Amino acid sequence: MGSLTATVAPPAASNVILWFRTFRAIAGSGFRRYSTYRQAAVAGVVTNCVFGFLRCYVLLAAVGAAGTVAGYDRAQLATFVWMGQGLLAVILLWGWTDLADRIRTGEVAADLLRPVHPVTSYLAADLGRAGYAALARLLPPVLVGPLFFPVHVPQRWATWPLFVLSALVAVVLCFGCRYLVNATAYWLHDVRGPVILWTLVSGVLTGLYFPLRFLPEWLQPLLWLGTPFPSLLQTPLDVLVERDPTGTQLALVAVQLGWAVLVLATCRLVQRRAERRLVVQGG
């Protein structure tokens, strides 16, 4: 008698496939959710472009007649500004309090009953949001900037895939930081203080207001290795403008990956600790 050939995938493989399908479905829902806010996207693009002109003129004035400053020339600074204005919406430094709001109202209890871990589900939705932002908020500033300023076009073939990887890691890392800020609601209930502190610190230490390479050289390693902030915005932009050789670019992205793994692990740890003390009023 001929033997029967098994056609059913192993349990481990089927679980992985199911996990990816679930993750993709949640990411798709995040994309669709944010794609409905078209007027907000248009308003955000206009605001980013206006501030792009202001920041670009200020930084170009800092270059002056010297031609370069802190290793950037005029074209690199213009690219730094306009790509940064677009990436700001993709990584979403500010404005996300979904988790804190659900903790405050008690709706987070429903999240804990779902088969997907809260960190995973919120991350998937945030990646979907970032995908929409890459189309609606990143492209317009990138197209507007070169119309008025000479910009730097990457000369090394490895820069483009490395930049895409760096930007993706920055999205994941920024989500983890925002998740931790929101998770303080498990203990504080009112997160306005942590949110304001995060807004102030992240705006300065991510390279949004000015390139962190403008700071003293002895301080830069402390920021990159001691805090996750430069990995959120400064690193992807430095990779794109090719300020450093390829080896240094790879090292910067490796630091990014390390911070992303550490922050996501911290998110899961904090979530586990918070579930032990969560009290839902009326529950």
Side-chain angles (χ1 to χ4, degrees):
M1 295 178 62
S3 60
L4 296 177
T5 302
T7 58
V8 180
S14 62
N15 289 339
V16 172
I17 295 174
L18 179 61
W19 186 91
F20 275 108
R21 287 178 177 175
T22 303
F23 194 92
R24 183 179 62 183
I26 298 175
S29 68
F31 185 98
R32 291 189 297 271
R33 172 190 174 187
Y34 282 90
S35 65
T36 60
Y37 303 118
R38 296 182 179 88
Q39 292 181 341
V42 173
V45 167
V46 173
T47 301
N48 286 345
C49 289
V50 170
F51 277 95
F53 281 103
L54 295 175
R55 291 183 60 215
C56 201
Y57 280 121
V58 169
L59 290 182
L60 291 181
V63 176
T68 61
V69 60
Y72 302 98
D73 59 26
R74 299 177 67 88
Q76 287 174 316
L77 282 178
T79 301
F80 189 99
V81 168
W82 287 102
M83 183 59 74
Q85 291 300 113
L87 276 181
L88 179 61
V90 176
I91 66 174
L92 192 65
L93 276 179
W94 313 309
W96 187 78
T97 58
D98 291 10
L99 176 62
D101 294 338
R102 292 180 68 83
I103 294 172
R104 179 176 54 82
T105 61
E107 295 176 347
V108 72
D111 299 336
L112 303 181
L113 296 176
R114 293 170 181 154
V116 182
H117 193 279
V119 175
T120 302
S121 62
Y122 278 105
L123 173 60
D126 196 67
L127 288 176
R129 173 208 59 77
Y132 172 73
L135 298 176
R137 300 289 298 276
L138 174 62
L139 289 180
V142 172
L143 296 177
V144 169
L147 297 177
F148 299 92
F149 303 92
V151 297
H152 174 80
V153 178
Q155 304 298 312
R156 300 193 290 262
W157 68 267
T159 296
W160 288 110
L162 197 58
F163 168 72
V164 172
L165 174 62
S166 180
L168 178 61
V169 175
V171 171
V172 175
L173 176 57
C174 189
F175 159 78
C177 294
R178 286 186 276 109
Y179 192 96
L180 292 177
V181 173
N182 276 247
T184 59
Y186 282 116
W187 290 268
L188 302 179
H189 302 291
D190 188 346
V191 296
R192 284 177 293 182
V195 167
I196 292 174
L197 180 61
W198 162 257
T199 301
L200 295 175
V201 174
S202 62
V204 175
L205 297 184
T206 58
L208 174 63
Y209 298 150
F210 58 87
L212 297 180
R213 301 299 183 96
F214 285 10
L215 297 174
E217 292 187 4
W218 63 266
L219 183 58
Q220 294 175 23
L222 297 179
L223 290 176
W224 260 267
L225 300 177
T227 74
F229 295 108
S231 296
L232 298 178
L233 192 61
Q234 179 76 35
T235 292
L237 297 178
D238 275 347
V239 169
L240 182 65
V241 302
E242 298 178 324
R243 183 193 180 279
D244 305 299
T246 303
T248 303
Q249 289 178 321
L250 291 171
L252 290 174
V253 175
V255 172
Q256 268 190 303
L257 288 169
W259 275 114
V261 171
L262 177 61
V263 169
L264 286 182
T266 305
C267 288
R268 297 183 75 92
L269 175 62
V270 169
Q271 180 65 37
R272 184 162 59 248
R273 293 291 299 271
E275 290 172 6
R276 297 176 181 175
R277 71 172 310 279
L278 177 65
V279 176
V280 178
Q281 299 299 327

